[in-house]
Amino acid sequence: MPLVLDREQVLGLYAEAAERKWVLPTFNAENLTTCEAILSAVLEYGQTIDIPDLPVIIGITNLYPPRPQSLYYTHTRQWQVGLRLFLEEMKVLLSDTSPFAELRVMLHLDHIQWDMDAEILHWDMCSFSSIMYDASNLPLQENIARTAAFREKYGHSVVVEGACDEIGKTGSANQMYLTSPDEAERYWKETGVDIIVANLGTEHRAAASELRYHAQLAREITRRIKPCLCLHGTSSVPVDSLHNLFNDGIRKVNIWTVLERESSALLFREMVKNATKIVGHEEVKRMQRDGLLGPQAKTAETASVEYFTTTYRQGIVFEKMKEIVTRYLKAFYRYKKEND
Ligand SMILES: [Zn+2]
């Protein structure tokens, strides 16, 4: 079906998800391969659990300094070109003749910056199912004022996600800073946003290490407001710690880093394993002399078009991303079968 963009329909999907005890995953993407991997994983997983129209959210950031994804979408490095192409490609992928036509897909504009993304606000905001307005680097009072103004202006036509805190902010004593329930409650009441991002102990672009998702804090915030939290920095904690998010009041999660981190590692390994097929034995010998490849790297084969193409590399990334997406789908849509 066409993209689900209308505010009422989007809220309807959130209500349906809550009814089924699903947490809606948002997978961010900055290229077509990632978009297709997400859709392909959702389609296949939906078929295995007998929900062929499984909903999913695909997100993209614009000029968000830590990762301006619309810039990376094309090599023009122009956000207008990247963002338009993302939207057009998603439309085509959800059109009648596409294998993904049955899926219910929402588009999320992520981490819109209150200052540098001002120009995008002249766009048609109805191109997106939801928008995260991010003024979290400002003091709370100013963050609230700007977010409330944004919600006032666009909240009637698009679902608005607000960030009451920066994610992964550290406190003065180098302690992990967490959002207090008081702050979250005030932000919620004064901005009126649909979805709230709070700092629950995770961190953007970090690998699973000592970081911990603070479930108790999520529950306390939820008790003060209502179940409408969105977890960012999801890649920074093990997926095993995320199986109970629904009961903590989390209704949406954002995922990106893990897709790139793990697919890159696999791509590297596969390319080393197939070194001669990719670059030919002369180049492999040169790399062995330079100490970049070990003596076990084969030198007997010649380069092959099956291995030195962009298609080969993207194929490995695509399959790995599908596998990762499926891992999260199992965590967030798992309740369906248990409840049936
Ligand atoms: Zn984020």
Side-chain angles (χ1 to χ4, degrees), residues 20 44-54 336-337 340:
R20 295 182 186 239
E44 280 182 24
Y45 185 66
Q47 287 165 347
T48 64
I49 61 170
D50 293 330
I51 306 175
D53 62 348
L54 201 65
K336 171 68 174 71
K337 278 195 165 174
D340 273 354

Side-chain angles (χ1 to χ4, degrees), residues 61 64 110-111 132 167 197 204-205 232-233 254:
T61 65
Y64 177 51
D110 204 23
H111 283 287
M132 177 199 182
I167 306 301
V197 180
H204 285 119
R205 296 164 298 285
H232 280 233
N254 277 33

Side-chain angles (χ1 to χ4, degrees), residues 11-68:
L11 290 175
L13 265 185
Y14 272 84
E16 180 191 326
E19 184 81 11
R20 295 182 186 239
K21 300 190 176 179
W22 288 343
V23 176
L24 287 170
T26 303
F27 298 98
N28 272 32
E30 56 183 42
N31 50 63
L32 177 59
T33 297
T34 307
C35 292
E36 280 197 85
I38 298 162
L39 293 174
S40 186
V42 173
L43 182 68
E44 280 182 24
Y45 185 66
Q47 287 165 347
T48 64
I49 61 170
D50 293 330
I51 306 175
D53 62 348
L54 201 65
V56 73
I57 307 167
I58 300 186
I60 189 168
T61 65
N62 195 41
L63 296 181
Y64 177 51
R67 197 67 201 173

